[in-house]
Amino acid sequence: VPCAYASWSGPRSPSETTSYWRYINSCILLRHQQPVAKTRYSSIMYFKTLVSATVFAAAAVGVQGERHVVSFVNNCGFGSPRLIQGSTVLSSGGPYARNSPLVGAIAYLQTGGCGFDGVGCTVVETTLRNHLSSTDISLIPPLKFSVATGFRYSNGCDGQGAACYSAGCQKAYRKPEDHFAQVNCEAKDVNLVITFC
């Protein structure tokens, strides 16, 4: 049976809530079992996506009728922003709008030295879902600092975000257990603005 986000009309019984989130998490795991490049970084990213979904499971109040927009501000004077989900390029610099959850996406500034999955550069990882959003900056090897990178939520959780201005940034993932780097948002229809330089 193909995985799809089931309609959710509001708070239900604890057993229904538990069943719903078991279904969603099994879909995430199934998606991650599809053939992908076997890299340490991709495994870490999938793990963090699953953790993000689980952390907010108790706050679930609906995934139907949602909308999210990811936009970029490139102050560097060079490079081209990328928004990637799996093997799909969602944006090469323009705003990207989605009328459903955006799960496990990455963004970076392509300066010519970044791999397709952001390897060799600073990466923003995000999942935008009503009441369950989580975003972070990652420098876990083989990722590394490339340009000053920051993000902030808008249309909800305004002002919340993070930024890295140098290779010594302490607000980014440097190892898989650095969960303090995640910036979470429980707002509905939240958007994300990513800034370079």
Side-chain angles (χ1 to χ4, degrees), residues 75 81 167 193:
N75 295 320
V193 180

Side-chain angles (χ1 to χ4, degrees), residues 18-185:
T18 300
S19 297
Y20 175 79
W21 283 105
R22 281 182 181 158
Y23 168 74
I24 292 299
N25 286 337
S26 66
C27 287
I28 292 172
L29 287 172
L30 179 63
R31 175 181 178 272
H32 295 158
Q33 291 170 358
Q34 302 303 314
V36 294
K38 299 294 184 181
T39 66
R40 179 168 173 256
Y41 166 63
S42 62
S43 297
I44 290 168
M45 171 107 176
Y46 293 151
F47 170 76
K48 287 196 291 185
T49 299
L50 181 58
V51 168
S52 296
T54 304
V55 164
F56 292 108
V61 181
V63 295
Q64 59 186 11
E66 62 190 276
R67 178 177 172 82
H68 307 284
V69 178
V70 179
S71 57
F72 297 97
V73 177
N74 182 7
N75 295 320
C76 298
F78 58 85
S80 176
R82 293 285 189 273
L83 180 65
I84 309 283
Q85 185 183 40
S87 61
T88 303
V89 177
L90 303 178
S91 172
S92 293
Y96 174 75
R98 188 180 187 107
N99 294 318
S100 62
L102 176 62
V103 178
I106 64 169
Y108 56 89
L109 185 68
Q110 179 56 270
T111 60
C114 310
F116 180 81
D117 56 358
V119 167
C121 292
T122 307
V123 167
V124 174
E125 304 170 318
T126 189
T127 289
L128 300 177
R129 179 189 291 131
N130 280 356
H131 313 289
L132 302 168
S133 297
S134 183
T135 307
D136 64 79
I137 298 172
S138 183
L139 296 175
I140 297 174
L143 303 178
K144 65 181 182 180
F145 183 82
S146 53
V147 298
T149 301
F151 68 86
R152 63 179 172 83
Y153 292 113
S154 66
N155 194 45
C157 298
D158 294 8
Q160 294 186 36
C164 279
Y165 300 105
S166 68
C169 173
Q170 297 301 308
K171 295 185 177 181
Y173 268 95
R174 292 179 172 278
K175 49 187 184 300
E177 58 268 26
D178 288 343
H179 302 303
F180 63 82
Q182 288 186 325
V183 180
N184 303 313
C185 178

